[in-house]
Amino acid sequence: MCNRAGNRPSGLNMTLSLGWLSALVAGFISVHVLQRLYFPYFWRDLLFLLKVIRYGVKLEMFKLTSSVFTVLDRFIQQAQRIPNKPFVIYDGSIYTYRDIETRSNRLANVFLERVKLKKGDCVALSMNNEPDFLCVWFGLAKVGCSIAFLNTNIKPKSLLHCFNSCGAKTLIVGSGKALTLESLDGVLSSLLEDDIQVWTMKNQSEHTQVQTLLDKIDVASDRPVPAVLRSCTSLKSPTLYIFTSGTTGLPKAAVITHLQSLKAAAGFWAFGVTEDDVMYIPLPLYHSAASLIGIGGTIYLGATCVLKKKFSASQFWNDCRKHNVTVFQYIGELCRYLCNQPKTEVDKVHKVRIGVGNGLRQDVWREFLNRFGNIKMCEVYGSTEGNLVFMNHIGKIGTVGRSNFIYRLLFKYNLVKYDMVKDEPVKDQHGFCQQVDRGETGLLLSKVSALTPFFGYAGSKQLTEKKLLRNVFVKGDAYFNTGDLMAEDQKGFICFRDRVGDTFRWKGENVATTEVTEILGLVDFIQEVNVYGVAVPGHEGRAGMAAMIVRPGLTFNGQKLFEHVMKDLPAYARPLFLRLQEFMEMTSTFKQQKFKLVQSGFNPSTVTDPLYVLDYQQKSYIPLTDSIYQSILAGERKL
Ligand SMILES: *[C@@H]1O[C@H](CO)[C@@H](O)[C@H](O)[C@H]1NC(C)=O
Ligand SMILES: *[C@@H]1O[C@H](CO)[C@@H](O)[C@H](O)[C@H]1NC(C)=O
């Protein structure tokens, strides 16, 4: 032994050192392999988290200095830094940062001098997508007003309610067709009675009580109004109100504080978008996705956005090629419509590299990538008012977000067991919720804390309280109830499964079943009605369906009901299917039983109750026959 060793000392040394080296290499490789195997997203997660944390720290600093550098401040800074850079491209025209800055200054002066607005006032804005939406928004913010964005599909009945809920005393109406003076006609007198001033972005007004803004802009000064008006000392002061579907009926005004708008404005940046990117924004600005993430994100980076009045599937790729678009915002439906367009040879000829949005389904996602090339689709999960955000920065197909232990330290969320039949969380013997196991589906709850505050809704405290669950795991805790059923897999990817409770999504809008129920309840022959959403193959979200009992002695009248829903409900909220019932089931806690109705769907060969379908051609609800049913499944009937 000794001899041998002595004979081949160098060899041993050699082996030893080689062994050491190879062990090291093997070690490196195995750590690398292990990392790739078990933590394949380690570096990408880390870089992403560092960004999130760095930005979070920056926001925390505002609290110390009690002077907030808002998204508007950032815009004004960009207008000085890059005045000639295109900020918005709209309908073929370019608006530079300076253009929008100057025009919003003029508007701010008009708001001060002519409209007599004061710091702290709330102003409701009903405009379609156009550059002036931004000028009015920024102009108002420069005067220190908070702004309530109204959904332009809103019906007069809900409009009055919106004013009450956010306390706005002024309404600014765009020159476009949406909430125009014709639909205003019905409510104008009520608005004026309530002392609400109405202004329109026009040169001339058909109504003597409606005042015009456009003619006053050109003659106004473009000097900045005093900065003290827009100055803000707390991240928690409201800057916007964005209306979301209410579970209690009419829309609720979600309070958007500077904290939320600053967080949202960093979304693009967190996904790796830079100031050289060109964003494509086809979504309505009155939703938080387009305004807070899209416009806010463009401003934060000092980039350029292409703003569309309305999404058009046929123009989409041409627009992208023409303007060298690199990033676009989507909702799931939008990607499906793009996939449904006829194939062309130039489908992959474009510079789009990132999509940011939500609601993209796996099948559409795959098809979209196959068809249009390697685009990183970044799903963002979060509601306008929610205190939790998931971001799929990895771009893994079918998942809305990515979590890991650091993320769980920053955001305290839980998935709890949910009883679909009773329509409520499962409780243990002490009355507390129970977490689901990894991989199982549960209701997503997000803890309300100092780091993750929930600002609630304007107006009634009750509305805010309804979104909270208390005493969830221990006495005294409070959680924001997202109403979404989700699952988290072993690797920390989060998938959206379903939505529970009183809202569902259709065509990118939230539909509140209670709001639809209330409106349908006004029809004389309806005794009782239960509204829910059913899945339709080939469509995102759920289509509205109403089960109803006809009042004894009266008969169902499809035409009458059709007229009623046309008048009082926006298109996306109109029930597409009806089911006439003799008797309505309740849950054990005396809520209307929705789950079984949702499950049984709208198939006339399995549902024995009479079914009807909304028919725009015949302007009525007509019997849902088997052939109509088949044409819906085949995607031949437009819904
Ligand atoms: C409104 O009037 C101004 C001049 O006062 C003019 O520049 C502008 O083009 C007009 N706009 C519309 C939409 O008519
Ligand atoms: C788009 O990019 C091409 C080549 O990079 C360039 O020639 C063209 O001018 C750009 N178009 C616009 C609108 O910026």
Side-chain angles (χ1 to χ4, degrees), residues 201-203 214-215 218:
M201 286 296 279
K202 288 189 173 177
N203 274 343
L214 218 49
D215 49 328
D218 290 335

Side-chain angles (χ1 to χ4, degrees), residues 229-412:
L229 290 175
R230 67 168 191 274
S231 75
C232 163
T233 54
S234 168
L235 277 173
K236 292 184 185 169
S237 31
T239 168
L240 296 174
Y241 296 92
I242 294 186
F243 287 89
T244 66
S245 279
T247 42
T248 52
L250 294 158
K252 294 180 290 189
V255 181
I256 308 296
T257 62
H258 287 290
L259 178 65
Q260 283 146 303
S261 66
L262 282 162
K263 279 183 183 170
F268 277 155
W269 165 78
F271 283 132
V273 178
T274 73
E275 71 172 319
D276 298 324
D277 280 299
V278 177
M279 278 55 127
Y280 192 81
I281 306 181
L283 308 177
L285 286 170
Y286 54 75
H287 278 327
S288 54
S291 51
L292 301 185
I293 299 178
I295 297 296
T298 304
I299 292 172
Y300 181 74
L301 293 164
T304 299
C305 67
V306 177
L307 181 67
K308 286 294 284 186
K309 180 167 198 157
K310 227 173 163 218
F311 169 71
S312 154
S314 60
Q315 291 168 11
F316 183 87
W317 292 110
N318 285 335
D319 282 346
C320 289
R321 284 185 276 267
K322 184 167 160 201
H323 299 296
N324 291 336
V325 169
T326 53
V327 178
F328 77 106
Q329 281 194 291
Y330 67 83
I331 50 171
E333 288 84 345
L334 194 147
C335 297
R336 185 188 291 275
Y337 299 149
L338 291 174
C339 288
N340 290 345
Q341 287 288 302
K343 289 201 163 94
T344 71
E345 274 153 29
V346 289
D347 277 350
K348 289 199 168 83
V349 183
H350 58 76
K351 296 192 172 127
V352 177
R353 62 187 189 96
I354 293 180
V356 176
N358 60 61
L360 187 53
R361 288 183 16 174
Q362 264 195 51
D363 52 342
V364 179
W365 196 327
R366 292 216 161 79
E367 190 184 340
F368 191 83
L369 297 190
N370 280 337
R371 170 103 179 253
F372 301 111
N374 188 20
I375 301 171
K376 185 170 156 190
M377 302 301 278
C378 300
E379 283 270 305
V380 182
Y381 168 84
S383 57
T384 302
E385 70 275 36
N387 61 345
L388 171 70
V389 172
F390 289 127
M391 297 170 89
N392 180 4
H393 63 97
I394 304 282
K396 180 171 163 154
I397 292 183
T399 66
V400 297
R402 172 99 188 106
S403 184
N404 51 41
F405 78 97
I406 305 176
Y407 207 80
R408 279 188 286 272
L409 287 179
L410 294 175
F411 298 94
K412 301 262 194 272

Side-chain angles (χ1 to χ4, degrees), residues 89-154:
I89 298 173
Y90 177 82
D91 206 11
S93 304
I94 295 175
Y95 301 81
T96 63
Y97 276 85
R98 182 193 281 123
D99 291 338
I100 302 288
E101 165 72 355
T102 313
R103 192 164 168 87
S104 60
N105 281 343
R106 285 185 197 280
L107 273 157
N109 282 308
V110 174
F111 293 143
L112 275 184
E113 286 153 25
R114 308 296 292 267
V115 188
K116 306 277 183 216
L117 292 173
K118 295 185 306 295
K119 184 173 177 134
D121 287 349
C122 178
V123 177
L125 178 60
S126 173
M127 277 175 90
N128 286 313
N129 282 10
E130 56 171 308
D132 264 348
F133 186 112
L134 307 180
C135 298
V136 172
W137 169 12
F138 300 163
L140 288 167
K142 284 176 176 182
V143 175
C145 294
S146 56
I147 304 116
F149 290 165
L150 300 180
N151 187 321
T152 49
N153 295 306
I154 207 167

